[in-house]
Amino acid sequence: MTEAKKLFVKTYGCQMNVYDSERMAEALGAKGYVTTETVEDADLVLLNTCHIREKASEKLYSDLGRLRALKAARPGLKIGVAGCVAQAEGEEILRRAPVVDLVVGPQAYHRLPAMVEAGGRIVDTEFPVEDKFSHLPERRALRGPTAFLTVQEGCDKFCAFCVVPYTRGAEVSRPVARLLDEARKLVAQGVREITLLGQNVNAYHGEGPGGTWGLARLVRELAGIAGLDRIRYTTSHPNDMDDDLIAAHGEVPQLMPYLHLPVQSGSDRILKAMNRKHTAEQYLRLVERIRAARPDILLSSDFIVGFPGETDADFQATLDLIRAVGFGAAFSFKYSARPGTPAAEKAPLPAEVADARLQELQALITAQQQATQAAMVGREVTVLYEKPGRLPGQMVGKSDHLHAVHVPDPDGRIGEIVRVRVAASAPNSLAGALISRAG
Ligand code: SAH
Ligand code: SF4
Ligand code: F3S
C-alpha cells in the first residue's frame, strides 16, 4: 500500500473560509490525502486566503516567502492558493510567486482534486452556475458539537469599500432540501449547534417546497430537527432583517439570542458614501424591533473608521450610535483601500487620524462588552461544552449569548449542555459553577 499523501491547510479570513477549508480537505480526502498539522510533512499546502483588507492579503505573500525554502528542500511539494485573494488576483499570483502551483477561486473548489491530479501550474477562477457543494463528497464525521453550514454565498450589495461582491460573486442560495439533509447528517454525527453562514445570510432565498424560502422559514424548519439544540446565523445586513426573521427570534427557542448586525458607521453622510442604503435612524429603529421580539438579545456589529471624507462630526455620530445601542461585542477596522472598489478612488484620511479614532471607538466598545459581561454575573446560563479548559477538571463552552464560559466540572463531557451560575467576568470570558446537567 502506498503511504497517504499529506495535506496542510491554512485558513485566513471569515468563517466561510473555515467551512470551505473543511470541505476542500474532505474533497482531497477522497483522493487519498490526510490532513497534517505540520507544514514540514505536507505533500500539498493549501492557503485559503482573505482579501478584505490590505493586511489580510499581504499575509499570503509573507507565508509564500517562508514556503519557498520548504519547497527548495522538497521539490515534490505542491502549493495551492485558494480563497478571495485567488479570486481577486488569479494568474497574477503565479507571476508574482513562482512557488505556487495552483490557484483556485472559491467557486471552483469542486474541481480542486482534478487540478491537483492534473499537475502543472494552473488557475481556475470561473464562476460555475451549479452548486459547487453538490459536487463535493459528503461531510465526514466531525469532532466537535458545533458546525458551520453555508446556506448562501456572495453579495449584491456593493458597499463602496468592499471586495466581497467581486471575490465571491453574486448572491446564490443553496436549495432547502440540501441544507436540511446536510444539517440532519451533522446532527446524526453529534452536532448540537449549527451556525448558518453567508456573506449576507439573511438575504437567503433558497428553493424549497412550495417556492422560495427566506431565512426565517429555513430556521423554523431546522428547529424541527430533533437533537439540534442551537441555531445561529451570520453575517446579516440590516436591510435584509425582515419581519418574519425578527419574529423568529421571539418564537424559536433554538434560535440563540445573539445577532451580529454590522452597521459600519453612525453618520448618514458616511453611510451614503459607503452605499449602505440605510440611515443611522433606520438601524436604531430596527434594533428596537429586534429587542421588542427578544429583549435579552445580545447585539454585535462591525465598524469601519477613517472612511474617506469622515470628519470628526461623522465619527462622533458613530460613537453616539454605539452609546445608543449598547453592543455586547464588536469588530472595528481602520478603513483599508481595496483595488477595484469605488472608495479606493477617494483620498484616504491621514493614518494618525484613523488610528486615534479606532482607539477611541475600541475603548468604548470594550467598556460596553465588559458591562454586558458584568451584567451576566449571578445569572443562570446554559453552556454547550466545546472542549476541556486549561485547568485540570475544567470545561469550556459557549453560553446562549456566545460568551465563552469556564466551568470546573471533572465529569463534564464535550457536547453536553449544562446549566451554570455565572460567578465572575474576565476580559474575554466568564467563569461559573455547575448547577445541573440539562442533557
Ligand atoms: N458580509 C458581511 C461581512 C463583510 S466583511 C457584512 O456585510 O457585514 C467583514 C467586515 O470587514 C465588514 O463588515 C467591514 O466592517 C470590514 N471591511 C470590509 N471591507 C473593508 C475595508 N475595505 N476596510 C476596512 N474594513 C473593511
Ligand atoms: Fe461587503 Fe457590504 Fe456585501 Fe457586506 S453587504 S459583503 S460589507 S458589500
Ligand atoms: Fe475575507 Fe473573502 Fe471572507 S475577503 S472575509 S475570506 S469572503
Side-chain angles (χ1 to χ4, degrees), residues 88-112:
E89 297 186 5
E91 300 212 343
E92 179 60 27
I93 298 175
L94 293 188
R95 268 195 291 277
R96 232 180 116 176
V99 287
V100 174
D101 299 288
L102 48 103
V103 175
V104 58
Q107 304 309 326
Y109 292 158
H110 52 302
R111 292 196 289 260
L112 178 62

Side-chain angles (χ1 to χ4, degrees), residues 246-247 249-251 257-258 287-299 325-326 372 379 401:
I246 294 173
H249 276 282
E251 294 163 5
Y258 183 101
V287 166
E288 271 171 24
R289 286 166 55 220
I290 296 165
R291 283 187 169 147
R294 181 78 204 228
D296 71 335
I297 200 161
L298 192 150
L299 292 168
V325 174
T372 308
R379 279 174 59 179
H401 293 95

Side-chain angles (χ1 to χ4, degrees), residues 270-330:
I270 295 298
L271 286 169
K272 195 161 194 301
M274 286 177 164
N275 194 30
R276 287 289 295 183
K277 300 198 173 80
H278 61 76
T279 62
E281 186 56 35
Q282 283 166 338
Y283 184 86
L284 292 173
R285 278 207 305 269
L286 175 61
V287 166
E288 271 171 24
R289 286 166 55 220
I290 296 165
R291 283 187 169 147
R294 181 78 204 228
D296 71 335
I297 200 161
L298 192 150
L299 292 168
S300 75
S301 196
D302 289 343
F303 294 93
I304 294 179
V305 300
F307 187 79
E310 184 187 75
T311 63
D312 203 46
D314 293 320
F315 177 61
Q316 292 306 322
T318 300
L319 298 180
D320 288 344
L321 179 137
I322 295 172
R323 288 189 198 99
V325 174
F327 290 99

Side-chain angles (χ1 to χ4, degrees), residues 11-18 20 48-53 56 83-85 106 153-154 162-164 167-168 199 338:
T11 308
Y12 318 61
C14 63
Q15 290 149 327
M16 189 152 308
N17 267 10
V18 175
D20 286 349
N48 194 8
T49 60
C50 173
H51 196 56
I52 201 83
R53 285 167 289 273
C84 291
V85 181
E153 245 191 298
C162 185
V163 293
V164 171
T167 61
R168 294 277 172 168
Q199 267 91 25
R338 307 307 292 129

Side-chain angles (χ1 to χ4, degrees), residues 132-361:
K132 70 179 175 196
F133 296 113
S134 65
H135 295 267
L136 289 173
E138 292 208 339
R139 305 190 68 178
R140 62 174 174 199
L142 283 147
R143 292 129 286 145
T146 63
F148 292 133
L149 173 54
T150 294
V151 303
Q152 174 279 339
E153 245 191 298
C155 181
D156 294 339
K157 295 282 193 288
F158 289 94
C159 298
F161 49 81
C162 185
V163 293
V164 171
Y166 312 97
T167 61
R168 294 277 172 168
E171 270 177 20
V172 179
S173 295
R174 298 178 65 198
V176 171
R178 290 223 185 94
L179 298 175
L180 294 177
D181 185 51
E182 195 169 326
R184 284 195 194 99
K185 284 180 176 143
L186 288 169
V187 172
Q189 288 166 1
V191 167
R192 302 187 74 176
E193 173 178 310
I194 291 181
T195 301
L196 308 176
L197 295 183
Q199 267 91 25
N200 257 320
V201 70
N202 58 345
Y204 178 79
H205 56 281
E207 282 317 304
T212 306
W213 289 30
L215 189 67
R217 193 161 173 199
L218 179 67
V219 165
R220 289 175 198 274
E221 190 70 21
L222 287 167
I225 299 178
L228 181 56
D229 298 286
R230 292 172 155 200
I231 302 169
R232 306 180 188 275
Y233 61 92
T234 199
T235 292
S236 298
H237 192 285
N239 292 1
D240 292 314
M241 282 306 295
D242 64 20
D243 291 344
D244 196 15
L245 190 55
I246 294 173
H249 276 282
E251 294 163 5
V252 180
Q254 292 90 337
L255 190 54
M256 291 290 101
Y258 183 101
L259 179 63
H260 183 61
L261 194 61
V263 61
Q264 315 297 354
S265 168
S267 153
D268 289 344
R269 218 175 59 81
I270 295 298
L271 286 169
K272 195 161 194 301
M274 286 177 164
N275 194 30
R276 287 289 295 183
K277 300 198 173 80
H278 61 76
T279 62
E281 186 56 35
Q282 283 166 338
Y283 184 86
L284 292 173
R285 278 207 305 269
L286 175 61
V287 166
E288 271 171 24
R289 286 166 55 220
I290 296 165
R291 283 187 169 147
R294 181 78 204 228
D296 71 335
I297 200 161
L298 192 150
L299 292 168
S300 75
S301 196
D302 289 343
F303 294 93
I304 294 179
V305 300
F307 187 79
E310 184 187 75
T311 63
D312 203 46
D314 293 320
F315 177 61
Q316 292 306 322
T318 300
L319 298 180
D320 288 344
L321 179 137
I322 295 172
R323 288 189 198 99
V325 174
F327 290 99
F331 299 98
S332 44
F333 311 98
K334 193 163 73 165
Y335 168 73
S336 168
R338 307 307 292 129
T341 60
E345 312 288 311
K346 299 186 185 168
L349 253 57
E352 326 71 84
V353 174
D355 284 331
R357 287 179 187 166
L358 185 63
Q359 273 193 17
E360 194 176 343
L361 186 145

